[in-house]
Amino acid sequence: VEDVVIETWWEELQEDLSNAMSNGLDGVFLILHGAMVSQSYPDVEGEILRRIRSIVGDLPIAADLDLHANFSHEMAIYATVFTSYRKNPHTDARAAGERAAFFLNRIIESGESTKVVYFKPKVLYSPAGSGTENEPMRSLEEQARIIEATYSDVLEVCVLPGFAYADIHCAGFTIVATT
């Protein structure tokens, strides 16, 4: 994406966020792809989250990701909770967004604090190898659901095969958990 697109969008969002903050904003809900790259920002989503955090302070930020997201450390430190698609082909985008909205509302109402943790094994899966009806994704998704069912303090485990064709530092497979 050209930098001008990012900066033009940001100018509009920054104004909207500032207005919302003065009117009592409770939290931020984002639908992000997770693998956007621009000329100046190899991790656009991390940069977006950083900029939003600088405006909203400690307010909760929920972000829903495509399972091809290339997850970064910046994403982990600037957002409060992550959800992701669990199916490839992507037939569950609405369900992932609903979970993110549910968790954001829960955090706003309860005042709970969260921690986002992640693990990036040294693995690259081609997009063709990330179908969730096939291995290894089927078993990885099953294990993620077992972890969520077993540990009540785990809100969501995202299995992100990433987008291997992006030549950036955070490209590749990531497991992300919000606790």
Side-chain angles (χ1 to χ4, degrees):
V1 175
E2 304 237 350
D3 284 352
V4 67
V5 174
I6 304 297
E7 298 306 334
T8 301
W9 175 82
W10 173 249
E11 287 175 20
E12 293 176 18
L13 180 63
Q14 185 177 17
E15 184 178 327
D16 291 343
L17 278 174
S18 296
N19 290 337
M21 288 295 290
S22 64
N23 291 316
L25 183 68
D26 294 320
V28 176
F29 177 86
L30 300 167
I31 304 289
L32 300 173
H33 183 268
M36 189 185 313
V37 175
S38 77
Q39 296 156 318
S40 298
Y41 303 105
D43 173 21
V44 173
E45 283 83 359
E47 177 65 14
I48 289 168
L49 288 165
R50 183 193 67 75
R51 290 180 185 191
I52 292 171
R53 178 61 68 205
S54 74
I55 293 173
V56 303
D58 292 336
L59 290 180
I61 301 172
D64 178 30
L65 301 170
D66 182 303
L67 60 74
H68 290 108
N70 285 320
F71 196 83
S72 69
H73 178 70
E74 290 73 21
M75 292 166 72
I77 62 174
Y78 294 122
T80 308
V81 60
F82 285 96
T83 61
S84 69
Y85 302 175
R86 296 176 175 178
K87 298 192 182 297
N88 182 24
H90 307 323
T91 57
D92 66 330
R94 180 183 177 103
E98 288 173 349
R99 289 192 312 277
F102 173 82
F103 292 138
L104 179 61
N105 187 63
R106 172 178 158 177
I107 291 164
I108 290 168
E109 288 185 352
S110 70
E112 294 172 289
S113 61
T114 61
K115 176 82 174 163
V116 175
V117 296
Y118 65 97
F119 174 66
K120 291 185 82 65
K122 304 284 186 201
V123 175
L124 284 176
Y125 291 112
S126 76
S130 62
T132 54
E133 294 300 314
N134 302 315
E135 296 300 339
M137 290 297 295
R138 179 177 38 202
S139 291
L140 292 166
E141 286 290 347
E142 287 173 3
Q143 289 299 310
R145 305 298 76 81
I146 290 169
I147 291 168
E148 291 168 351
T150 304
Y151 301 97
S152 61
D153 59 339
V154 175
L155 300 181
E156 175 131 351
V157 177
C158 303
V159 179
L160 307 173
F163 183 68
Y165 301 145
D167 188 15
I168 58 175
H169 74 282
C170 61
F173 185 78
T174 312
I175 302 289
V176 179
T178 302
T179 65

